[in-house]
């Protein structure tokens, strides 16, 4: 779309000629200022005054219609914008703004008819691209996406480096089901205009979606690689919460867990109270076997009162981590909170079976440590026989400890799956 600042800059050039000095000029100036502030209702009052005093000047109707369009008063906006076109049909600003209003009101057939009436050869490259983009949007709405692709391809042949056209043809490719072409054009739009964060984000999501559906390891790896590359560029250039979180998600999906943890940590730093960032960081740290840190962030995620679905995911992740650490009663509690009552019951059964073993393990470790202390004392006294007897008993204890720990390792491995 044509930025409002460009429209107003062009329009203001003729204002001094079109408006006499005095109250009308003041209304125009005040209206423009209010429009830029987003105070559309107040701005409209001033443009009403401009229209009343200058009923044959299209600029007043144009700006009044824009205010009404922003206020979603579509019928009034279209009426005033049509008046602007009737007064000056050769100004593409008037025609394009009316077409946009018609599209907003879901009157795409009227919009396309209006746009088709423009002499494209007489338009500047900027205006031609804007008109073609809107024509394509109308065609897509009419289920003529193939025609939209052809229209945009013809325009891109003459103007291949215009980001807006690549954004538009990406929409058309999506409408015909060509997701790969849509990704290519979204990536191209972002590369041509790095400030176009929306295209960058859309390209990352498109690449991740294609990777998920690839059905081929090489294709999957390629799409994941593109997702990570674009997400990294986006988050590096604009390292806000949304972009660092997206970069982390892309890296995690691609199996690049160190990079994912780094981006998620940046997202947490940006918004410490956002539960999703805490959850994702905890999940990445868990994969990297940094269980202590993972538990800290997952508990912080719960403390941030996440939505019900995310709450269940956090509890489930905590249940798995704590089960791996054989903190079984707490693990069972988290599984229940996650709604996984079968898993919680399994953990309770395992905990009951391990209770005596864990108690015996603690006793043996304490006894072994005490025997080691006693051996040291006897050694100082020169009692070789006493040292040998204690060492033999401690060796038996250590063998039993090793056996119990071996069994616990097998249990831990099973619980960590």
């Amino acid at each position: 779309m044509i930025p409002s600042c460009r429209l107003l800059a062009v329009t203001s050039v003729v204002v001094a000629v079109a408006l006499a000095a005095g109250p009308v000029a003041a209304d125009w100036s005040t209206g423009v200022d209010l429009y830029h502030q987003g105070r559309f209702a107040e701005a409209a009052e001033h443009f009403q005054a401009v229209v009343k005093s200058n009923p044959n000047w299209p600029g007043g109707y144009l700006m009044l219609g824009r205010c009404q369009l922003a206020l979603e008063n579509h019928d009034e906006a279209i009426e005033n914008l049509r008046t602007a076109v009737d007064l000056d049909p050769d100004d593409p600003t008037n025609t394009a703004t009316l077409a946009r209003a018609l599209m907003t009101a879901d009157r795409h057939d009227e919009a396309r008819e209006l746009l088709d009436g423009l002499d494209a050869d007489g338009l500047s490259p900027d205006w031609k691209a804007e008109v073609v983009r809107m024509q394509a949007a109308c065609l897509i709405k009419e289920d003529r996406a193939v025609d939209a692709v052809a229209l945009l391809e013809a325009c891109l042949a003459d103007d291949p480096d215009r980001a807006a056209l690549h954004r538009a043809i990406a929409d058309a490719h999506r409408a015909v089901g060509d997701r790969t072409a849509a990704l290519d054009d979204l990536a191209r739009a972002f590369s041509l205009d790095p400030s176009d964060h929306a295209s960058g984000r859309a390209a990352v999501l498109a690449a991740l979606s294609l990777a998920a559906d690839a059905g081929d390891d090489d294709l999957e790896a390629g799409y994941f690689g593109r997702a990570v590359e674009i997400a990294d560029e986006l988050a590096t250039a604009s390292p806000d919460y949304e972009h660092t979180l997206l970069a982390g998600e892309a890296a995690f999906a691609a199996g690049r867990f160190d990079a994912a943890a780094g981006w998620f940590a940046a997202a947490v730093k940006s918004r410490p109270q956002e539960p999703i960032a805490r959850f994702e960081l905890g999940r990445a740290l868990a994969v990297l076997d940094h269980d202590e840190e993972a538990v800290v962030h997952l508990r912080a995620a719960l403390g941030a009162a996440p939505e019900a679905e995310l709450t269940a995911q956090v509890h489930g992740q905590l249940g798995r981590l704590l089960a791996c650490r054989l903190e079984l009663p707490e693990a069972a509690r988290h599984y229940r909170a996650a709604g996984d009552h079968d898993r919680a019951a399994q953990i309770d059964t395992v905990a009951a079976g391990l209770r005596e073993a864990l108690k015996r393990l603690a006793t043996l470790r304490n006894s072994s440590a005490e025997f080691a202390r006693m051996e040291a004392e006897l050694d100082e006294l020169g009692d070789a026989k006493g040292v040998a007897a204690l060492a033999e008993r401690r060796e038996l204890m250590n063998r039993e400890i090793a056996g119990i720990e071996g069994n616990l390792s097998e249990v831990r491995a099973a619980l960590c799956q």
Side-chain angles (χ1 to χ4, degrees):
M1 291 188 180
I2 301 162
S4 59
C5 56
R6 185 192 306 171
L7 167 66
L8 294 178
V10 173
T11 307
S12 62
V13 172
V14 297
V15 169
V17 176
L19 300 180
V24 175
D27 274 316
W28 170 264
S29 179
T30 302
V32 169
D33 288 341
L34 290 169
Y35 182 86
H36 277 309
Q37 296 172 35
R39 297 160 63 181
F40 303 115
E42 296 172 71
E45 293 179 6
H46 290 277
F47 291 127
Q48 286 278 14
V50 172
V51 166
K52 184 175 180 181
S53 299
N54 293 265
N56 296 318
W57 183 57
Y61 294 100
L62 175 67
M63 290 308 300
L64 177 57
R66 288 178 65 88
C67 290
Q68 291 165 336
L69 187 60
L71 294 168
E72 299 186 2
N73 298 331
H74 296 150
D75 291 341
E76 295 177 23
I78 289 169
E79 181 180 350
N80 283 299
L81 292 171
R82 200 179 295 279
T83 300
V85 171
D86 290 341
L87 289 170
D88 189 359
D90 295 328
D91 186 344
T93 303
N94 300 332
T95 302
T97 308
L98 173 56
R100 190 175 301 129
L102 290 166
M103 292 166 68
T104 302
D106 202 22
R107 294 161 62 176
H108 289 76
D109 53 343
E110 296 177 60
R112 191 168 62 80
E113 183 179 355
L114 182 68
L115 293 166
D116 289 348
L118 283 173
D119 179 11
D121 293 334
L123 298 175
S124 68
D126 285 352
W127 278 113
K128 183 176 181 180
E130 173 66 5
V131 168
V132 168
R133 189 201 62 77
M134 288 197 289
Q135 287 174 317
C138 292
L139 288 169
I140 293 171
K141 196 71 176 180
E142 297 170 13
D143 294 325
R144 296 175 56 192
V146 172
D147 293 333
V149 170
L151 177 67
L152 288 161
E153 284 178 340
C155 196
L156 276 165
D158 297 328
D159 196 359
D161 295 330
R162 189 172 294 277
L165 290 176
H166 285 283
R167 288 193 295 270
I169 201 170
D171 289 338
H173 283 311
R174 271 196 297 255
V176 298
D178 192 343
R179 297 159 63 199
T180 302
L183 168 59
D184 291 341
D185 279 294
L186 287 168
R188 177 66 173 152
F190 179 56
S191 68
L192 288 168
D193 181 8
S195 67
D196 180 13
H197 298 158
S199 289
R201 290 191 295 270
V204 174
L205 295 174
L208 291 175
S209 176
L210 284 164
D213 298 336
D216 176 274
D217 289 345
D218 291 336
L219 277 177
E220 180 184 86
Y223 286 130
F224 275 138
R226 293 193 71 181
V228 169
E229 180 183 0
I230 298 167
D232 284 357
E233 290 178 9
L234 182 62
T236 300
S238 177
D240 61 16
Y241 171 78
E242 287 79 8
H243 296 158
T244 52
L245 185 65
L246 182 61
E249 290 170 349
F252 191 95
R256 304 180 189 183
F257 302 116
D258 281 315
W263 285 120
F264 289 139
V268 167
K269 184 177 180 180
S270 175
R271 293 189 191 174
Q273 298 306 314
E274 283 289 344
I276 183 64
R278 292 280 188 179
F279 168 70
E280 295 291 6
L281 178 55
R283 195 162 63 114
L285 290 169
V287 174
L288 294 168
D289 294 325
H290 301 318
D291 291 354
E292 292 287 345
E293 294 176 73
V295 169
V296 168
H297 286 289
L298 291 167
R299 285 174 172 158
L302 285 179
E307 300 276 342
E309 182 177 352
L310 180 58
T311 295
Q313 290 179 290
V314 177
H315 278 299
Q317 189 73 30
L318 276 169
R320 191 188 71 81
L321 282 173
L322 293 169
C324 286
R325 294 163 59 175
L326 296 183
E327 298 177 30
L328 301 180
E330 189 177 359
R333 180 177 66 80
H334 282 292
Y335 274 123
R336 285 193 181 86
D340 192 345
H341 297 284
D342 289 342
R343 185 64 169 164
Q346 291 173 355
I347 296 293
D348 285 336
T349 300
V350 172
L354 292 181
R355 190 171 293 118
E356 291 302 319
L358 290 171
K359 186 185 297 184
R360 176 63 176 164
L361 180 61
T363 300
L364 287 169
R365 283 173 174 168
N366 289 334
S367 298
S368 179
E370 180 64 18
F371 272 45
R373 184 188 64 78
M374 292 168 63
E375 282 179 46
E377 291 177 353
L378 291 175
D379 187 54
E380 289 181 6
L381 294 172
D383 186 353
K385 288 184 178 180
V387 169
L390 287 174
E392 184 178 351
R393 292 179 64 186
R394 190 160 62 87
E395 176 62 22
L396 291 173
M397 290 180 190
N398 288 340
R399 287 178 184 175
E400 187 176 355
I401 288 171
I404 294 173
E405 287 180 338
N407 290 335
L408 290 176
S409 294
E410 292 179 8
V411 172
R412 186 180 290 110
L415 292 174
C416 288
Q417 295 177 359

